[in-house]
Amino acid sequence: MAREWVVRPGTDELAAACDVVAPGDTIRLLAGRHTRRAVLRHSGTPREPIRIVGDPGAVIDGLQVGHPDLLPSLPNGNLVYPRRQDWAFLNLDGAAWCTVEGLRVINCWPCFLYAQEVNGIVIRRCAIEGGTYPLFFRDPAHSSRLSRDIVVEECGWRQDMSADHFNWSKADWRELHGGRDGATVFKTLRHFNGAFVGSCDIGGGMRLRNNDISDSYNGFRLGLSAEVRAMGDAAIRRRNRDVEISGNSFTRVRDNPVEPESHAYHWIVRHHTMLDCHTWFSMDGVAGGYWYIYGNRGWFRTRQGGPKSNMGKVLKFSMGSEPVPDTPIYFFNNSWFLRCPLAVGDPTPDEYNIRNLTFLNNAIQYCRPRAPPTTGSPPPLCESGVRYMANIRWTADLGTIDHTLSDHPDFPAVLRREGHEAHGATATRPIFTYADAGDLALSVDSEARGSATVISLRLPDGSDISVRPADRGAWQGVALIAVPELESASRPLV
């Protein structure tokens, strides 16, 4: 018979319950401040998961303060991924079929929850403040039991709690990122260089959906260690695969809402809203492929602060000789209102190097400068002369960029010179209803209506499906574009 274990604030009852809990049991944290750490090694079952839940008023307090030396640093000044000892409250060690739900979390640096060799884990409806990586999943490089089937949904995370949104509006990006710029080492804010959900060397099967992320450095960062990368293709391809990231809201993300690292295989990234984000989709140095990125909407209200890296871009691809995908990647039917480039790399030899890209049916409207800048004034929100795409290595195997609708002054000429956008269309009137307000529904007379092309998608099993949207952009009438054949795997675990 399932039991309930009650945890009072200020006691070791959580650790004691984790030592004896059984399938179907619930551990309930009473109202008050909980500060004692615990490790869970027991497992539930798919039908009878172990549940850790918080009563109204229950607060998890890790009693930690963020600081630049919270984690060890690499020779270049960047911080390492969290390790087994880097957690503030809860460690899931080999546990399976466990749900953590309804907790309010504060002062948990670098991690609130750290997990290794787990499966069937659900984190739901938690409200988290601060932390470098509130939720971090990491498997040993030579593990035979890779973590899979992880759901994080309906949670909220705000990393920078300052009233003036300092990390977005004023901070130097280099201090947040950490590292060197010439002879100067930047590090004062590098403990923010993490993500809401991070992972290293896990199998995958992650579903990250309907979360609200704000005032953070990154949203989701899922990667591989140098040790696994050195083990070769067989080890690499077992990891960081089958990931669905959907329906999340990102606001004031100073670097990347979505950031795979090193290798990513079979990712679905759809139906997000992105307001005031820096570089929306970061894919530099990432091999793998079968990425499907669609139905996303992004716009802006303010601009980044600091002396450098205050323009941003939508797409960040591999640079120079970095790894690139060896299987297809798809960006289709997204809607973006921009003040920044779509994609601009660095000059030769580090220009963007793209392979196997299909970019179709996207709707991209640009803001227009409202007044010329004056000497000594801050940069305007909308600048003139912003490039559309530049410093791209235009190779034969880059892929296809076509059927975009945009009002950028360089569009489509800059692409047609390179053999792309044969069917790209210049918007002669507003594409969206109220772009300034973030309403990216198509305007009544938008040229995006009824002008989309059919898209052929190759699936990882080698089969092909056709997607037949009516309109360019994310919205199809009153609903976002849907691809049931891709989304059928996005079912709840428990």
Side-chain angles (χ1 to χ4, degrees):
M1 178 180 292
R3 295 169 293 180
E4 181 176 83
W5 305 89
V6 174
V7 177
R8 295 169 296 176
T11 70
D12 292 316
E13 291 170 342
L14 177 60
C18 287
D19 285 341
V20 298
V21 72
D25 286 1
T26 297
I27 300 174
R28 183 163 63 91
L29 280 65
L30 299 181
R33 192 171 297 265
H34 296 262
T35 60
R36 308 288 180 89
R37 306 199 314 170
V39 179
L40 176 66
R41 296 184 175 92
H42 292 282
S43 296
T45 69
R47 290 183 177 274
E48 295 183 300
I50 293 169
R51 299 177 66 239
I52 300 175
V53 301
D55 276 359
V59 178
I60 310 304
D61 189 344
L63 302 176
Q64 303 292 322
V65 176
H67 59 85
D69 298 314
L70 194 66
L71 293 166
S73 61
L74 299 168
N76 65 3
N78 294 344
L79 295 182
V80 302
Y81 280 137
R83 306 149 302 164
R84 288 181 76 110
Q85 66 267 37
D86 295 321
W87 54 281
F89 189 77
L90 185 61
N91 186 311
L92 305 182
D93 187 358
W97 303 107
C98 172
T99 298
V100 178
E101 186 170 0
L103 301 180
R104 183 183 172 219
V105 179
I106 62 173
N107 301 325
C108 285
W109 296 82
C111 307
F112 152 60
L113 178 148
Y114 184 98
Q116 57 273 331
E117 297 182 310
V118 297
N119 72 283
I121 304 301
V122 178
I123 315 295
R124 179 184 291 134
R125 290 192 287 275
C126 292
I128 304 175
E129 299 175 5
T132 307
Y133 290 96
L135 307 174
F136 199 81
F137 301 83
R138 183 169 192 169
D139 291 337
H142 295 276
S143 175
S144 61
R145 184 192 171 194
L146 296 180
S147 296
R148 287 193 63 85
D149 295 330
I150 297 163
V151 174
V152 180
E153 62 183 3
E154 299 175 15
C155 294
W157 179 49
R158 180 171 175 178
Q159 187 183 34
D160 169 24
M161 299 301 296
S162 63
D164 61 353
H165 312 292
F166 179 84
N167 287 359
W168 172 258
S169 63
K170 297 183 175 66
D172 187 331
W173 179 91
R174 296 169 296 181
E175 297 287 359
L176 291 160
H177 182 274
R180 296 180 181 275
D181 189 349
T184 304
V185 176
F186 294 90
K187 60 176 283 186
T188 59
L189 298 170
R190 66 182 178 181
H191 51 291
F192 287 100
N193 186 350
F196 174 47
V197 178
S199 72
C200 180
D201 296 344
I202 73 169
M206 300 188 86
R207 298 163 196 170
L208 312 173
R209 58 199 180 199
N210 303 327
N211 300 287
D212 187 355
I213 297 167
S214 68
D215 295 281
S216 69
Y217 189 74
N218 291 306
F220 303 110
R221 176 189 277 164
L222 315 178
L224 303 179
S225 67
E227 186 176 2
V228 164
R229 297 199 302 272
M231 292 164 62
D233 285 347
I236 291 171
R237 290 183 179 275
R238 293 176 59 217
R239 294 167 167 84
N240 214 14
R241 57 185 294 144
D242 308 322
V243 173
E244 178 247 342
I245 307 176
S246 63
N248 299 286
S249 172
F250 302 96
T251 306
R252 293 181 297 275
V253 176
R254 193 59 181 87
D255 205 37
N256 314 126
V258 178
E259 184 179 21
E261 291 196 326
S262 303
H263 187 276
Y265 185 86
H266 186 212
W267 279 40
I268 299 168
V269 181
R270 62 183 176 93
H271 296 179
H272 302 297
T273 60
M274 298 176 174
L275 168 62
D276 289 344
C277 297
H278 181 63
T279 300
W280 303 2
F281 304 98
S282 176
M283 297 155 286
D284 59 314
V286 184
Y290 292 113
W291 309 337
Y292 309 91
I293 300 170
Y294 62 96
N296 301 289
R297 294 139 293 147
W299 71 101
F300 64 91
R301 287 182 184 149
T302 60
R303 69 175 296 159
Q304 309 93 311
K308 285 195 173 183
S309 295
N310 54 21
M311 172 57 74
K313 64 196 76 171
V314 177
L315 308 177
K316 184 180 182 183
F317 292 108
S318 294
M319 295 179 286
S321 60
E322 291 180 332
V324 295
D326 57 4
T327 56
I329 60 175
Y330 301 92
F331 284 81
F332 60 96
N333 286 91
N334 298 285
S335 293
W336 298 320
F337 178 53
L338 303 181
R339 53 166 292 274
C340 63
L342 178 64
V344 173
D346 291 334
T348 304
D350 290 328
E351 72 270 48
Y352 278 163
N353 183 17
I354 311 168
R355 296 287 187 276
N356 300 304
L357 171 67
T358 297
F359 188 91
L360 295 172
N361 289 343
N362 297 291
I364 304 172
Q365 182 174 323
Y366 272 80
C367 68
R368 294 288 180 262
R370 295 180 179 175
T374 58
T375 302
S377 64
L381 185 58
C382 292
E383 298 183 38
S384 59
V386 172
R387 294 176 290 179
Y388 183 75
M389 292 185 75
N391 297 337
I392 309 294
R393 191 175 297 173
W394 298 105
T395 58
D397 54 356
L398 180 149
T400 300
I401 303 174
D402 204 357
H403 288 276
T404 304
L405 176 67
S406 180
D407 61 354
H408 191 282
D410 296 344
F411 184 86
V414 68
L415 278 300
R416 286 185 179 167
R417 287 197 297 267
E418 307 298 341
H420 295 276
E421 292 292 5
H423 304 92
T426 299
T428 61
R429 46 189 177 269
I431 300 173
F432 306 121
T433 304
Y434 297 108
D436 287 339
D439 183 352
L440 302 188
L442 298 178
S443 59
V444 172
D445 59 350
S446 175
E447 290 142 317
R449 292 184 179 273
S451 62
T453 190
V454 176
I455 305 163
S456 179
L457 303 179
R458 174 64 53 89
L459 303 182
D461 64 5
S463 63
D464 296 299
I465 62 172
S466 294
V467 182
R468 301 177 182 275
D471 305 328
R472 306 189 207 201
W475 289 105
Q476 305 295 304
V478 297
L480 294 171
I481 183 171
V483 186
E485 296 91 339
L486 294 177
E487 298 159 18
S488 60
S490 302
R491 60 191 182 280
L493 287 174
V494 292

